[in-house]
Amino acid sequence: MKKLFIIITLFILAQSVTAQQNALRHIADSIYAEGEMLYRSEWASGHGTQIFTSRFGEKKLLSGGYFSYETPKGLTTIFFSKNEDPVALATVKFDYGLDSSKYSIDTTTRKLTEDEKGFYTIRSKAAQAVLGDTLFKFYEHTSLNLVPIVKNEAKRVYVITAQTLQDEVLLGNDYLIIFDKDDNIIKETKLHNNLIPLGTGGKDPIKASSHQHLGKTSPFITATDICAFKLWRAKTTWVISFVVSAGYVSAWHFRDEFLEILTQDQWQKIMKNQ
């Protein structure tokens, strides 16, 4: 009877560990997917802006902003006018190969499509919130990018601190604004407690970077972290980056773009065996 009890106990513990690992894998996959989507949007916006500015600088002065979105064929970046009823001044399109040399640009002024009006509406309301709410912080020599995302009827806008200096990668000072189906803001979340500048290594290569998530910050790596890592990978010599919280360690592997989330207990066991 005693042996049977031990066997049952070990089986239950094993099942519990497996369930925990499966749950963490599901969380990691979800964060990775969101980070990928955010990265594609920022990639298209960044390259679209470079193309529009270099080729049509004068028309760029008429623009009130931009946003990017996905279609079945690829990525589209819209530059809209400054008036209250904006029109599209230029449309830049990329395919999913993410090759910045392969694009099309149309500078014919046109009305926004219904879907584009939806992106514009939540982006505009997010911009008003950023300017009017003390939750949002501004740092010297930086700006805030607004990234509207609409997927499966869920509407949200990420607010990300724009990269400026060449010798560092900026994480943090990022936010998530959630909208309801009628485009009303229902939640504003600060994703990191502050702005986190990480050195890229310069002449002394750095193989690993890390930062902490404390307080109300998510115990896991954020989609904005992954977006930044992918956007600025070429600037760094990093092989891995860790996000450490009280209960977990998230590890982003740059080479194969793999996200791993471990409990602190699992992490401590790995470190003891190093």
Side-chain angles (χ1 to χ4, degrees):
M1 178 65 75
K2 185 176 180 180
K3 288 184 178 180
L4 178 61
F5 176 77
I6 293 173
I7 292 173
I8 293 174
T9 300
L10 291 175
F11 176 77
I12 292 173
L13 289 174
Q15 291 293 99
S16 177
V17 170
T18 300
Q20 184 182 50
Q21 290 175 336
N22 288 339
L24 290 178
R25 184 69 259 155
H26 177 75
I27 291 171
D29 289 344
S30 178
I31 295 172
Y32 175 78
E34 186 80 352
E36 273 281 309
M37 186 162 50
L38 190 55
Y39 162 71
R40 290 193 295 268
S41 179
E42 280 289 83
W43 183 94
S45 293
H47 288 286
T49 298
Q50 290 177 3
I51 293 166
F52 185 40
T53 301
S54 63
R55 293 188 55 185
F56 303 95
E58 292 183 2
K59 197 168 188 179
K60 174 69 165 57
L61 297 176
L62 304 175
S63 175
Y66 59 84
F67 56 83
S68 296
Y69 60 91
E70 299 191 21
T71 71
K73 294 183 178 180
L75 304 162
T76 298
T77 301
I78 298 295
F79 295 88
F80 54 84
S81 60
K82 295 179 180 179
N83 47 306
E84 291 185 5
D85 187 17
V87 294
L89 298 175
T91 305
V92 185
K93 294 184 178 181
F94 305 94
D95 62 32
Y96 280 114
L98 300 189
D99 183 343
S100 60
S101 67
K102 298 179 180 179
Y103 66 89
S104 65
I105 182 168
D106 184 351
T107 57
T108 303
T109 300
R110 63 172 177 80
K111 293 182 178 180
L112 298 178
T113 67
E114 288 304 310
D115 285 343
E116 290 168 352
K117 288 179 181 178
F119 281 98
Y120 172 80
T121 297
I122 61 173
R123 185 195 185 281
S124 178
K125 289 187 175 183
Q128 294 173 14
V130 167
L131 293 176
D133 194 323
T134 56
L135 173 71
F136 302 92
K137 304 299 181 184
F138 293 86
Y139 289 83
E140 190 176 10
H141 305 307
T142 68
S143 60
L144 294 178
N145 286 349
L146 303 174
V147 189
I149 291 179
V150 179
K151 189 173 180 62
N152 299 328
E153 299 184 358
K155 303 177 181 181
R156 52 203 181 276
V157 174
Y158 282 93
V159 183
I160 303 174
T161 297
Q163 186 71 38
T164 54
L165 301 179
Q166 295 301 311
D167 59 349
E168 64 183 19
V169 171
L170 295 181
L171 303 177
N173 194 42
D174 45 2
Y175 311 84
L176 178 60
I177 303 175
I178 304 294
F179 294 79
D180 64 16
K181 62 182 180 64
D182 296 316
D183 299 330
N184 299 308
I185 295 176
I186 57 176
K187 187 176 182 180
E188 297 175 352
T189 302
K190 192 174 187 177
L191 300 178
H192 288 81
N193 287 329
N194 49 24
L195 184 65
I196 308 166
L198 298 176
T200 57
K203 295 181 180 179
D204 299 316
I206 299 173
K207 295 299 182 183
S209 67
S210 68
H211 69 279
Q212 292 182 310
H213 282 186
L214 304 174
K216 296 181 179 180
T217 305
S218 168
F220 310 113
I221 194 173
T222 64
T224 52
D225 287 332
I226 291 176
C227 176
F229 291 151
K230 288 178 65 66
L231 280 174
W232 308 114
R233 176 181 178 180
K235 289 179 57 176
T236 77
T237 55
W238 300 342
V239 175
I240 193 169
S241 190
F242 299 103
V243 177
V244 182
S245 68
Y248 303 92
V249 174
S250 303
W252 174 254
H253 300 264
F254 282 80
R255 188 168 300 165
D256 53 5
E257 296 191 340
F258 175 70
L259 174 58
E260 184 178 21
I261 299 178
L262 305 170
T263 65
Q264 275 287 356
D265 288 341
Q266 291 173 323
W267 175 251
Q268 294 301 328
K269 289 179 182 178
I270 292 173
M271 295 306 293
K272 285 180 180 179
N273 292 328
Q274 292 299 312

